[in-house]
Every structure is written in C-alpha cells, then in structure tokens.
Amino acid sequence: QWRDMAQHVADERTMEGAARRRTSGLHDHLMPKEGWTTQGCAVMRTAAGERRLGIHVAVLGAAGGIGQPLSLLLARRGSELASLRLYDVAHVAGVAADLSHVDARAPVRPYQGTSELAEALHGVDLVVLVAGAARKPGMSRDDLFQINAKVVFGLATAVAKHAPNAWLLVVTNPVDATVPIALEAMRKQGAGNDRKVIGVTSLDAVRAKKFVGDAVGIDPARIMVPVVGGHAANTMLPLLSQCSPRFAFTRKEIGDLTTKLREAGTQVVEAKAGAGSATLSMAHAADRFIGQCLRAMQGAKGIVECAYVSSSVTELPFFASPLQLGRDGVETYLPLGPLNTGEREALQLLKSELAQSIQKGTEFARNA
C-alpha cells in the first residue's frame, strides 16, 4: 500500500512538473525575455544588443482576385513584415479580419476608400499595386488599358505623395504600359525613382520553369529561364538557349514552348469563362518576387530576377531583363547575354509592339 501511495505521489509530481514546464514554455513563447517596443502600428522584438525591424508593406487592391491570395501569402511571411496594410475601395475589412486569424506575427490593418489611402501608405517601405480590372474572354490588353490606366495613375500619384521613397511593384496589367504610367505619375509629383518602380513579370518566369520542367521531366524548381522584353503575349521572350540547366531543344520544341508561354494567360481567362484571370498563379509569382525584394532590402547579396523597369539595356526606355536587386531597388542592370539566331529575330519583332505600349502609357500619364 505504501508503495502504491508513493508511486501515486510521484506520478502527481511528474504530471505537475510537466504541466509547469508546458506553462513556462508557453509563457516564454508569448512573453519572451527580449524586450518589446512599438513603432508606428508595428510591434517589433528587440533581441540582446540588436533590434530586428520588419518591413512595412501595403497591398493596393487587396480585396480583388489577385489581392486576396497575395495578401494571404504575405501574411504568412510573419516576422519578415512589420505591418501588412490592405487597401481597397470596398470589402477590405472582411479580408483583413479573415487574415488576422492567420498564425503569423505581422499585424494586418484594413484601409478602405480614398479617405484612408494616405494613412495606408504613410511610412511604408514597399507597395504592391494589384488594383484594377482583370481580363475577360475577348478582352484585349488595349481594352484593359482603358480601364486600368486611370487606376494606376491615381494610386501611383498617392504613393508619390505619401510614400515617395517606397519601392512600387506594379502587377496591374497591361504591365507594358502601366509601369510607364506609374513612373511618370510619380515624376509629376517630384518623386519616382527609376530603380524602385518595378513591373512584376515573374509569372512569365514561373510558367517557363513549369512548362520546361514538364517537357523534360524534372522538378521545375530546379530550372531557371530568363524571360525578357515585356509582359504581353507578343512582347515576352523566353531565352531558352540560356535555360539552366541547359537542354538541347529542337527548333520545334522552342517554338512550342514559346507559344505555350505566350498563350498561357489567355488559356486561363478562357478556362475561367469570365470568372477571372490568372489570379492564383499570379499571386504565387508575385509573392515569390516580393520575397526576393524583402531579402534585398534587408541586405542580402546576389539576388537576380527578371523584371520590367526603366532601363538602357536596349534602345527602348522600358524593358524586362535580368536585374540584380539591392537595398535601394535595382542595383545592376545585367546584359541579355548571348542570344541564338531565333532569339535575336524574335527580339527585333517584339520591340515595335512594346514601344507602342510604352509610348501609350507615357503619353496617358503626361496628359492626365
């Protein structure tokens, strides 16, 4: 009997000790020994002798088809972000409420309507512009321009006024024209850093990786394909001769892969039958690119991505090409590298249409 009582007491002490350890561990997780400080709307952890600061990010168009999944992916980045500000003209409070339940540290804040736009942008480090209409079946990118040009001009103007030093990543289509609009709108306000206004064309690279991976039977994550030029079907050019790892594609295989990449957006629009465009894959690609930007802003070296920017890599004033990113945006504009005969010919063909889109966007902004 004594042995039974002794064992019972030991069991209780063991359980009590385990409970204390669990409680202590939970306390240490929720109330860590490092100090906490606040700056703006962000809560940041201060470790011994070092303050780890996150980055303030704003998503403009957060309640839309791309904005919602992109905001989710960004919220999951947690402590990389000091705050995630979600702006839209309607329905954004519900998106923020939903995302506020994600188990990540970044505080999510909604801002709705033009009266709250300045507050949403105040003090942000990086702005992602996804607002505007999506393509529908039968709609050309010129049709899309007529709708989205005003949206991009207005929001870029607000960025220039309230966050002039922020990176501005433009996702809203047609990117070939909306990036010139955004940069020109900022310049009209005395802002606009060529190295920080960037058109996100990463979906082209993501698709190229996927299509090549499927064609050769290896993991797309292992593949890198530079996609240069613009972001429209007739202006993008995958440089398959520079694919890493290298593959000996036939002329027909190159033609088929290039056509598949150029028609990918239309394929999704038609498959969704009026219910949207490539929102999920675009959100994934944008999140991937934003992650690289966040790393560059925090001092990581050697980050190279293709994106559409103001540059002198070609005779055109804007062009998508490999870029090395740094703390203050584009650090180095890398050359296109050696092109084969087919790529050189395709490059010359796309320049005319790309030049027209650039001119159209620039003139719109200058006359707005």
Side-chain angles (χ1 to χ4, degrees):
Q1 185 178 9
W2 178 84
R3 284 195 300 270
D4 291 340
M5 291 179 62
Q7 183 63 47
H8 179 69
V9 171
D11 289 344
E12 284 191 333
R13 287 176 177 173
T14 301
M15 289 186 289
E16 183 180 353
R20 279 200 303 270
R21 287 192 295 274
R22 287 196 297 271
T23 302
S24 177
L26 182 60
H27 178 273
D28 288 345
H29 175 70
L30 295 175
M31 299 292 289
K33 293 183 176 65
E34 295 90 352
W36 291 80
T37 181
T38 60
Q39 178 175 320
C41 67
V43 178
M44 298 169 292
R45 184 170 165 178
T46 307
E50 176 184 321
R51 176 178 294 180
R52 182 182 179 188
L53 300 179
I55 293 171
H56 298 272
V57 175
V59 179
L60 308 184
I66 297 172
Q68 290 197 43
L70 175 59
S71 297
L72 169 61
L73 293 171
L74 292 175
R76 294 181 68 244
R77 290 187 171 275
S79 58
E80 289 184 67
L81 308 184
S83 68
L84 178 59
R85 291 105 173 274
L86 307 183
Y87 171 81
D88 216 318
V89 293
H91 310 304
V92 74
V95 178
D98 201 354
L99 292 181
S100 70
H101 299 165
V102 173
D103 54 343
R105 285 188 173 180
V108 179
R109 302 283 187 269
Y111 300 86
Q112 185 164 302
T114 54
S115 63
E116 297 185 359
L117 179 55
E119 186 182 358
L121 292 171
H122 179 72
V124 298
D125 304 297
L126 186 147
V127 179
V128 189
L129 204 168
V130 296
R135 282 179 66 195
K136 295 180 180 179
M139 180 183 286
S140 69
R141 287 185 179 260
D142 185 63
D143 296 332
L144 202 59
F145 175 88
Q146 302 301 326
I147 301 170
N148 288 347
K150 291 181 180 179
V151 174
V152 171
F153 182 85
L155 291 175
T157 299
V159 173
K161 291 178 178 178
H162 306 293
N165 297 318
W167 292 42
L168 175 58
L169 307 185
V170 181
V171 176
T172 304
N173 276 315
V175 166
D176 293 359
T178 55
V179 173
I181 290 173
L183 183 56
E184 191 63 32
M186 294 189 73
R187 285 173 175 168
K188 291 179 80 169
Q189 300 299 319
N193 185 333
D194 291 9
R195 295 176 181 268
K196 289 185 175 183
V197 179
I198 301 174
V200 180
T201 60
S202 52
L203 180 54
D204 301 331
V206 166
R207 284 171 169 160
K209 285 158 62 75
K210 172 63 174 173
F211 298 161
V212 170
D214 287 351
V216 300
I218 69 171
D219 184 355
R222 294 177 49 200
I223 295 172
M224 295 297 294
V225 182
V227 182
V228 303
H231 187 53
N234 294 330
T235 62
M236 68 176 72
L237 175 62
L239 301 181
L240 293 167
S241 68
Q242 298 180 26
C243 178
S244 176
R246 291 188 178 275
F247 303 102
F249 293 116
T250 65
R251 182 181 293 272
K252 182 179 185 307
E253 288 171 332
I254 290 173
D256 289 346
L257 284 167
T258 300
T259 299
K260 186 173 184 178
L261 177 63
R262 288 178 164 177
E263 294 179 353
T266 300
Q267 179 190 27
V268 175
V269 170
E270 292 177 350
K272 289 191 174 182
S277 57
T279 54
L280 302 178
S281 54
M282 184 65 248
H284 161 72
D287 173 69
R288 181 189 172 281
F289 184 78
I290 293 165
Q292 293 290 74
C293 294
L294 295 176
R295 290 182 60 222
M297 294 170 80
Q298 293 169 331
K301 301 297 183 182
I303 297 176
V304 176
E305 293 287 335
C306 285
Y308 182 72
V309 296
S310 171
S311 80
S312 57
V313 169
T314 70
E315 68 273 20
L316 297 177
F318 291 85
F319 201 80
S321 63
L323 310 167
Q324 182 165 308
L325 303 176
R327 287 186 183 274
D328 297 314
V330 179
E331 197 168 77
T332 308
Y333 301 85
L334 301 174
L336 297 182
L339 308 181
N340 62 30
T341 301
E343 289 166 347
R344 287 194 297 271
E345 292 174 353
L347 179 62
Q348 292 306 314
L349 289 174
L350 69 82
K351 285 181 179 179
S352 175
E353 183 167 329
L354 183 54
Q356 292 175 26
S357 294
I358 294 168
Q359 182 179 3
K360 187 173 185 177
T362 302
E363 288 180 354
F364 174 89
R366 288 176 177 172
N367 295 328

